[in-house]
């Protein structure tokens, strides 16, 4: 089974663009629709997916997906809508922990201070550790970013922003410390690359 777990980037037209990879199903969290206004990018994305006949699975709270060939995917955030609603679409982002052959990647979407606090509260010792961390909310720095990076303790941190490292003034470099920090370096045909 192939899994495509997707959350719209609220500030782009990614959701309305043509899909260039085969998607067998889309998995969204139960808070996603709440923040999908009638004319929003996420709403257009869901309409596009339904028009293509792709099944949409709605999860509620943390979930585990066992993929092919030893890949494990755990959805760590957000909590179920019944348990606690996120204050905004950013903090309703799905946070995924993907493990394969002893390596772990943590994808944090647009989670901001509230989501980071929730992850820190839920995380037991070592539960958030990852080799690679896609920094929350494009590498924005909020009051608990440093504690989150320390808890995840990645060897590599990735900041998905158009801002070049030399122009970074938000302090993310100091919080990442001696770990490797990669920045997005541009766009190619509408696709981002690192």
């Amino acid at each position: 089974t192939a899994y495509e777990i997707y959350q719209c980037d609220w500030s782009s037209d990614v959701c309305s663009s043509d899909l260039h990879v085969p998607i067998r199903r889309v998995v969204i969290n139960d808070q996603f629709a709440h923040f999908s206004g009638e004319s929003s990018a996420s709403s257009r994305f869901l309409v596009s997916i339904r028009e293509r006949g792709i099944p949409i699975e709605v999860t509620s709270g943390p979930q585990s997906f066992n993929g092919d060939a030893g890949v494990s995917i755990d959805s760590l955030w957000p909590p179920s809508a019944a348990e606690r609603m996120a204050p905004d679409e950013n903090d309703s982002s799905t946070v995924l922990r993907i493990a394969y052959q002893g390596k772990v990647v943590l994808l944090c979407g647009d989670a901001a201070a509230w989501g980071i606090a929730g992850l820190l509260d839920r995380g037991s010792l070592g539960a958030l550790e990852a080799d690679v961390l896609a920094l929350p909310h494009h590498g924005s720095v909020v009051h608990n970013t440093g504690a989150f990076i320390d808890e995840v303790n990645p060897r590599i941190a990735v900041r998905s922003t158009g801002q070049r490292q030399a122009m970074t003034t938000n302090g993310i470099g100091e919080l990442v410390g001696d770990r490797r920090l990669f920045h997005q370096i541009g766009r190619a045909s509408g696709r981002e690359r690192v």
Side-chain angles (χ1 to χ4, degrees):
T1 304
Y3 296 98
E4 182 75 18
I5 301 178
Y6 187 92
Q7 178 127 2
C8 288
D9 181 346
W10 305 101
S11 64
S12 74
D13 63 354
V14 169
C15 297
S16 62
S17 66
D18 289 333
L19 300 173
H20 298 284
V21 293
I23 298 175
R24 295 188 183 140
R25 72 176 178 162
V26 171
V27 180
I28 60 174
N29 69 61
D30 63 354
Q31 298 200 28
F32 187 87
H34 175 78
F35 294 106
S36 299
E38 194 171 302
S39 62
S40 68
S42 55
S43 179
R44 290 189 306 274
F45 168 74
L46 291 175
V47 166
S48 172
I49 291 299
R50 286 186 184 105
E51 286 173 352
R52 288 173 169 81
I54 299 169
I56 298 173
E57 178 182 333
V58 180
T59 61
S60 181
Q63 302 281 318
S64 290
F65 305 91
N66 291 319
D68 294 337
V71 176
S72 69
I73 302 171
D74 296 307
S75 168
L76 305 178
W77 189 260
S80 70
E83 178 185 338
R84 178 171 50 170
M85 280 300 294
D88 57 43
E89 63 270 6
N90 286 336
D91 281 314
S92 74
S93 287
T94 299
V95 175
L96 297 175
R97 182 180 188 275
I98 302 170
Y100 180 67
Q101 294 188 349
K103 301 296 182 197
V104 176
V105 176
L106 191 63
L107 305 175
C108 297
D110 278 340
W114 187 82
I116 292 170
L119 285 162
L120 288 170
D121 288 346
R122 286 179 173 233
S124 57
L125 191 59
L128 294 174
E129 283 187 3
D131 298 289
V132 178
L133 170 63
L135 290 161
H137 202 204
H138 309 280
S140 295
V141 173
V142 294
H143 69 88
N144 50 7
T145 301
F148 185 72
I149 292 170
D150 288 344
E151 183 67 25
V152 175
N153 194 25
R155 290 182 334 186
I156 299 169
V158 179
R159 182 171 185 242
S160 63
T161 179
Q163 188 179 48
R164 296 197 180 275
Q165 185 170 354
M167 297 170 54
T168 300
T169 59
N170 70 352
I172 194 66
E174 290 79 16
L175 294 176
V176 169
D178 293 336
R179 301 167 179 101
R180 304 249 351 236
L181 175 61
F182 291 92
H183 295 256
Q184 170 188 326
I185 59 169
R187 293 185 178 271
S189 304
R191 297 193 186 284
E192 299 174 358
R193 65 178 190 262
V194 175

